[in-house]
DNA sequence: CCTACCGATCGGTAGG
DNA sequence: CCTACCGATCGGTAGG
């Protein structure tokens, strides 16, 4: 047994039933050990939630930065920010479901960290829309509304998409979601 | 005290902390009574979840039907189906959050009922896209993907929208989401 | 509507 | 990694 295995099983069960809907006994049972043995690989149930949420939200921000830095065209920035966000919600479904469903159960300092990084992403994303409107390449009535619509469309991917389960790959899904984002933003067809 | 008051408080707390994250003691305390007194107004904690989820999913299906029946143009059908769905997630935020977050904790028969009605809505919604593509008025690579993107964009409204808290009314939000839906579907600007 | 109380289960600890 | 066990709290019942 390893800490990684415990964290991974917690991830699976938290995503499936929620943090409060999952017991340590269930995690232990799924791993074939007794509840107290879990404490050789973690410090508490809450620490599992902390680890999952903070690493995930940090990755979201880092990926946004990596995908958009050096890119100045708002159209291309929006496309890349959307693609990387949609892709993450397709390939890391469990992590994103836990962040979105159970972050409310975090305690500080994890709670504040997640909230701040989430707001950072929210503002950075919306700024792309604002810049595009200012530059005259986007056509939306409300940058706020369009930004929420695009981001949340991506977030929800984790709730229905299954890798290998359908006919679409994560790469293909994120490419198409990138196109949806440009459509919502009011950009004429680019491809 | 009334059954409606108990249900309403359960709605608020379930939406905030989740079904398993809420205790009957918290519901009772928020109402200024003791836990056992709740049983004068309900039969069990699970029955509260049942009532919330089944009535909500039924309303979703009924609203879809009322909004689209008699309408044959795919563009108008998609606009109306989206508007009514977005509107519900703006004005009934608590209900939709509970359905989307805690339906997994339902037991039969409520579990089956919710799953079936959800699938019905999913298929009916997707069929609009398919019909529009067949009629040549929509332009999407995948009706499935576009349908999910549009519906889930609406669902997420319950997670960020606040009535009266911003500058947008539910009516205005749903009108714009209707436009987003048409854009995603590849319809040229209609307004 | 209440107090008193139930068995079950929770996250977690002691000690090996 | 285990057994044995802890106090606290869970949803729910008895009885008035």
């Amino acid at each position: 047994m390893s800490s990684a295995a415990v964290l991974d099983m917690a991830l699976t069960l938290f995503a499936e039933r929620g943090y409060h809907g999952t017991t340590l006994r269930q995690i232990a049972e799924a791993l074939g050990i007794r509840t107290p043995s879990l404490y050789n690989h973690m410090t508490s149930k809450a620490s599992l939630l902390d680890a999952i949420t903070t690493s995930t939200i940090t990755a979201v921000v880092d990926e946004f930065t990596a995908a958009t830095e050096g890119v100045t065209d708002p159209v291309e920035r929006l496309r890349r920010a959307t693609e990387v966000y949609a892709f993450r919600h397709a390939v890391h479904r469990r992590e994103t479901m836990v962040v979105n469903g159970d972050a409310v159960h975090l305690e500080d300092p994890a709670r504040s960290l997640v909230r701040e990084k989430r707001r950072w992403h929210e503002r950075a994303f919306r700024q792309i829309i604002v810049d595009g409107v200012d530059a005259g390449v986007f056509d939306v009535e409300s940058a706020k509304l369009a930004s929420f619509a695009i981001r949340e469309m991506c977030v929800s991917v984790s709730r229905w998409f299954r890798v290998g389960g359908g006919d679409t790959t994560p790469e293909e899904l994120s490419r198409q979601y990138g196109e949806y984002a440009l459509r919502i933003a009011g950009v004429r067809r680019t491809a």
Side-chain angles (χ1 to χ4, degrees), chain A residues 68-86:
Chain A
T68 57
E69 69 183 353
V71 182
T72 52
D73 176 26
V75 173
E76 204 53 36
R77 281 178 69 81
L78 178 60
R79 188 206 301 280
R80 294 190 185 198
T82 302
E83 281 182 355
V84 77
Y85 201 46

Side-chain angles (χ1 to χ4, degrees), chain A residues 35-172:
Chain A
T35 307
S37 301
L38 289 174
Y39 287 85
N40 294 314
H41 310 293
M42 58 164 215
T43 60
S44 68
K45 189 189 181 188
S47 73
L48 294 173
L49 184 61
D50 284 4
I52 291 166
T53 52
T54 57
S55 69
T56 298
I57 197 70
T58 298
V60 165
V61 167
D62 291 351
E63 286 172 2
F64 176 95
T65 302
T68 57
E69 69 183 353
V71 182
T72 52
D73 176 26
V75 173
E76 204 53 36
R77 281 178 69 81
L78 178 60
R79 188 206 301 280
R80 294 190 185 198
T82 302
E83 281 182 355
V84 77
Y85 201 46
F87 188 79
R88 163 158 287 273
H89 286 83
V91 299
H92 296 296
R93 291 179 58 233
R94 299 176 302 167
E95 289 86 338
T96 48
M97 284 189 76
V98 173
V99 169
N100 282 286
D102 290 313
V104 69
H105 300 120
L106 285 171
E107 291 180 357
D108 274 325
R111 187 183 179 85
S112 297
L113 187 148
V114 169
R115 195 183 57 232
E116 280 166 27
K117 283 188 185 284
R118 188 181 266 161
R119 286 186 183 173
W120 185 94
H121 183 258
E122 200 174 306
R123 286 171 188 168
F125 208 105
R126 189 185 305 184
Q127 192 59 47
I128 298 177
I129 312 281
V130 171
D131 291 343
V133 170
D134 289 348
V137 294
F138 292 165
D139 175 27
V140 295
E141 294 183 47
S142 164
K144 176 183 176 181
L145 213 61
S147 178
F148 266 116
I150 294 169
R151 285 191 308 109
E152 296 293 342
M153 166 184 84
C154 295
V155 168
S156 295
V157 167
S158 61
R159 288 200 290 159
W160 63 269
F161 186 73
R162 269 141 186 78
V163 175
D167 31 13
T168 309
T169 62
E171 288 78 9
E172 178 61 16

Side-chain angles (χ1 to χ4, degrees), chain A residues 20-41:
Chain A
H20 283 301
T22 303
T23 67
L24 290 181
R25 190 166 194 274
Q26 291 169 336
I27 296 174
E29 216 162 55
L31 291 167
I33 61 177
R34 305 288 177 180
T35 307
S37 301
L38 289 174
Y39 287 85
N40 294 314
H41 310 293

